[in-house]
Amino acid sequence: MKIYQLIVLGALFLAQQRFFAHCIFLPWFSSKNDSDGFKIPMSLVELKKGGEKLQELKNITKRVSLDARCFSEDSDDMPISFAFHKNLPYAYFHTGKSKHLQIQGMIPGLLSDILDYCCPGGAKKVQFAKLLKKPADAEDRITSKMVNEYDFTFPIHAPATSRSFRDHPFIPLVRVPSVVFLAYDGNERTSKTHAIATTILKAWPIMVFILLTATFSGIIIWFLDHRQNPQEFPQSFLKGIWEGFWWALVTMTTVGYGDRSPKSTLGRVFCIFWIITGLIIISIFIAMVTAALAAATHPHFPIHGSLIGVVNGSEEYQLGVLMNAQMEIFHKVYDITDALLKSEIDGAFFDSFMITAHLNLIKDHPGFRVERTIEHPVTYGMVLAGNSSKMEACARRYVENYPRKVFQRIADHLKPLKNPNDEISQEVKAAEGLFYEEGTFKLIVYCGLGILAFLSIAGLIYEFAVKKYLLAKQTANENSYHNVEMANRPNSEEPSREGEFDELLQDYKSFHDSWVERCKKLQGKPLHGC
């Protein structure tokens, strides 16, 4: 076999392997359709009032039904249209360098697949569209006379079981499982330090109760133990109950210095009872403080009564009303996030698919966090124009028969929802920043450091200056007094040590004889040992 034949066979073999591998992995690499959505010339996108070409196409859609333009034999040149409003990720648009509007999203992608499945000519038959300003405009068009100007209107939200929307066919396409409650950490109305201090101050009844029970126990222990233990519990009532109060307070806090302890049997029995009772009382107080700390580190955001922002015309508005929240309506998602940053609202509701299309907002502002996820299914779909029963049946058949393709279209526009700081436990982070990130606590720490520095400097000055000066002055006074005393003493000769010893012996002998004599004469009878 010649060399060129080997080369040809090798090339054919590699091509075959590449084709085989491509066939195997085609579902994975082709999961995203490059022809996602529609590309329509800007001149054929109705914003306010279209041109002559647009009016001509609209007249065709008014005269000929959607079924006739899609399923009839002479329908190849018949246009198809739709009206939509921007709602990421369900439908959105962007303009490139060309004079075309690229319309993409979950629903445009699904509509493209449905047209390819149902209509000869497929998605290429879509020639013009209308851009609506807000969701309410899409819903209002369905009840007006202009509903048949455009064949499809989306995105429209309705119950998942609905087959019609305002007496027009409704095709459910995207089911959102939940609603996300977005909050901002900077919206706390009171600092955590202030909340803890307020909790402790509000606990004054139990603090008074602790002092009263300690006083009462001090009186009882004094009454039971002061006779057998007067050294620790004096006989005096005032002094005794003070010592008893000190003993009761130290015992109930489990400090147990041991400087006071009952000695009598009844006193010790009462001590056992008081130890158990004191532990329970102190535990109640500690539990209240612990609860305040836990609430400060991970506060529970009450939705009812809070001011919640939602997009105008969204399903989340109804959810907020049902949850007794005060609702604030905004036209754009960015308006809601700006209001959150400015603390104009307490939180915001977004469906869980919509928030994934705005993850850059969460990443740019780490203070945003997903407070919780509320199970509240929302279904988005499209509404068909009148006289479109065949298209309706075909669209429903596609959704029922190709669920994997429908799901893939949805998954192509989703991103994992993740808080910026999910790697760090929010509870731990909040606990670490409980005090030192609070302005009130910083002020307390700085004042404490200032007072400590002042007292330390004053103590050093006293130690090395004042105390040294006073010690020197006291020493000088003592030396002066000693000199004066020595000067006033007479100049007499010092007796000898031997004379002093004889004098001491004589004094002792005289004292001894006198003591013995007095002892013998006591009561007229000699006593033993005298």
Side-chain angles (χ1 to χ4, degrees):
M1 186 176 290
K2 296 182 180 180
I3 297 177
Y4 74 90
Q5 291 177 336
L6 292 174
I7 296 174
V8 172
L9 289 176
L12 291 174
F13 177 78
L14 293 176
Q16 180 184 7
Q17 295 298 319
R18 182 177 180 183
F19 175 77
F20 181 69
H22 180 72
C23 291
I24 292 176
F25 295 103
L26 181 61
W28 298 95
F29 291 112
S30 301
S31 61
K32 287 190 177 182
N33 190 351
D34 294 334
S35 62
D36 181 17
F38 304 92
K39 190 175 182 179
I40 300 176
M42 290 293 296
S43 59
L44 297 181
V45 177
E46 181 180 354
L47 299 176
K48 293 183 179 179
K49 186 176 181 181
E52 295 181 1
K53 177 64 176 177
L54 181 60
Q55 292 297 328
E56 181 182 346
L57 294 174
K58 289 174 64 176
N59 291 333
I60 296 175
T61 58
K62 288 179 181 179
R63 296 194 309 267
V64 184
S65 68
L66 175 59
D67 287 347
R69 282 180 279 124
C70 187
F71 298 102
S72 63
E73 295 180 357
D74 56 345
S75 63
D76 292 341
D77 297 331
M78 293 291 184
I80 294 178
S81 63
F82 59 81
F84 75 102
H85 65 89
K86 183 179 179 181
N87 187 0
L88 274 71
Y90 310 107
Y92 57 93
F93 64 89
H94 61 85
T95 57
K97 295 181 180 179
S98 61
K99 297 181 180 180
H100 288 77
L101 192 70
Q102 187 71 34
I103 304 169
Q104 295 177 311
M106 295 180 182
I107 297 181
L110 289 171
L111 178 58
S112 175
D113 294 340
I114 291 173
L115 291 176
D116 289 339
Y117 176 77
C118 296
C119 287
K124 295 180 181 180
K125 293 177 66 66
V126 176
Q127 298 184 21
F128 65 101
K130 180 176 179 62
L131 177 61
L132 305 172
K133 292 183 179 180
K134 53 185 183 293
D137 293 343
E139 296 178 2
D140 293 340
R141 284 186 60 84
I142 298 172
T143 56
S144 66
K145 297 180 180 179
M146 298 180 293
V147 63
N148 292 327
E149 289 184 354
Y150 294 89
D151 302 313
F152 303 93
T153 303
F154 57 85
I156 300 292
H157 62 82
T161 57
S162 297
R163 298 181 63 87
S164 65
F165 184 87
R166 299 184 181 179
D167 297 330
H168 286 78
F170 174 74
I171 309 297
L173 297 174
V174 182
R175 184 178 184 272
V176 186
S178 58
V179 172
V180 170
F181 179 33
L182 190 68
Y184 182 60
D185 287 334
N187 283 355
E188 296 177 354
R189 292 183 172 87
T190 59
S191 67
K192 296 174 182 177
T193 307
H194 180 267
I196 295 171
T198 303
T199 302
I200 295 175
L201 291 176
K202 288 182 178 180
W204 66 266
I206 193 170
M207 297 179 70
V208 172
F209 178 74
I210 290 173
L211 297 177
L212 289 177
T213 53
T215 304
F216 181 69
S217 298
I219 294 174
I220 294 177
I221 198 65
W222 172 82
F223 178 77
L224 296 176
D225 211 59
H226 76 281
R227 292 184 181 275
Q228 297 185 24
N229 192 12
Q231 293 82 10
E232 297 180 4
F233 299 101
Q235 298 288 338
S236 173
F237 177 75
L238 294 179
K239 293 181 179 179
I241 62 172
W242 170 250
E243 298 297 337
F245 171 77
W246 170 255
W247 168 85
L249 200 60
V250 168
T251 301
M252 76 184 304
T253 55
T254 68
V255 177
Y257 288 125
D259 54 343
R260 300 286 184 274
S261 60
K263 299 296 189 293
S264 64
T265 302
L266 291 177
R268 291 184 174 181
V269 171
F270 176 75
C271 179
I272 295 173
F273 169 77
W274 175 243
I275 289 173
I276 298 174
T277 305
L279 283 174
I280 295 173
I281 296 173
I282 290 297
S283 298
I284 295 174
F285 178 72
I286 294 175
M288 294 180 64
V289 178
T290 304
L293 291 172
T297 56
H298 192 68
H300 177 73
F301 198 111
I303 295 179
H304 56 274
S306 299
L307 185 59
I308 306 299
V310 294
V311 177
N312 185 24
S314 64
E315 178 71 15
E316 295 82 59
Y317 177 82
Q318 300 179 20
L319 174 64
V321 172
L322 293 175
M323 298 183 72
N324 295 321
Q326 184 180 356
M327 306 307 296
E328 183 75 16
I329 298 176
F330 296 87
H331 293 293
K332 300 178 182 178
V333 174
Y334 295 97
D335 296 338
I336 298 178
T337 55
D338 288 342
L340 264 177
L341 291 172
K342 297 176 183 178
S343 299
E344 295 177 356
I345 57 177
D346 300 321
F349 279 167
F350 300 101
D351 68 63
S352 55
F353 287 1
M354 181 187 295
I355 196 65
T356 62
H358 299 86
L359 290 180
N360 58 319
L361 295 177
I362 299 179
K363 294 179 180 179
D364 295 341
H365 302 283
F368 284 134
R369 73 176 189 278
V370 177
E371 175 67 21
R372 76 190 71 162
T373 300
I374 305 169
E375 184 176 357
H376 183 78
V378 180
T379 301
Y380 286 91
M382 58 185 179
V383 174
L384 279 64
N387 298 323
S388 57
S389 57
K390 292 183 179 181
M391 175 58 71
E392 177 189 356
C394 184
R396 295 189 191 280
R397 189 165 58 251
Y398 176 83
V399 173
E400 293 174 359
N401 294 337
Y402 297 94
R404 189 193 63 81
K405 292 184 178 181
V406 173
F407 174 78
Q408 190 60 55
R409 279 292 187 184
I410 297 172
D412 289 344
H413 296 274
L414 292 180
K415 298 178 182 179
L417 178 59
K418 189 176 182 181
N419 281 326
N421 299 319
D422 277 350
E423 293 81 4
I424 305 173
S425 173
Q426 294 300 308
E427 289 78 6
V428 173
K429 180 182 176 183
E432 290 175 350
L434 179 59
F435 291 114
Y436 56 78
E437 292 182 0
E438 295 287 340
T440 305
F441 185 75
K442 288 181 179 179
L443 179 62
I444 295 173
V445 170
Y446 293 152
C447 291
L449 290 175
I451 295 173
L452 179 61
F454 172 76
L455 293 177
S456 300
I457 294 173
L460 293 174
I461 293 174
Y462 174 79
E463 181 70 22
F464 294 103
V466 177
K467 189 175 180 180
K468 185 176 181 181
Y469 170 76
L470 293 177
L471 182 62
K473 186 176 181 180
Q474 182 180 0
T475 304
N477 292 336
E478 290 178 354
N479 292 335
S480 177
Y481 176 78
H482 181 70
N483 293 334
V484 171
E485 183 179 5
M486 294 297 294
N488 293 334
R489 285 185 179 181
N491 294 327
S492 57
E493 295 182 358
E494 183 179 355
S496 63
R497 293 180 64 186
E498 185 177 356
E500 291 181 354
F501 185 71
D502 292 340
E503 184 178 355
L504 286 175
L505 287 177
Q506 186 64 33
D507 291 342
Y508 173 73
K509 184 178 181 181
S510 299
F511 170 75
H512 181 268
D513 293 342
S514 174
W515 184 83
V516 171
E517 190 67 25
R518 289 177 61 190
C519 185
K520 290 180 180 181
K521 293 180 179 181
L522 185 63
Q523 296 182 355
K525 297 180 180 180
L527 298 176
H528 176 72
C530 291

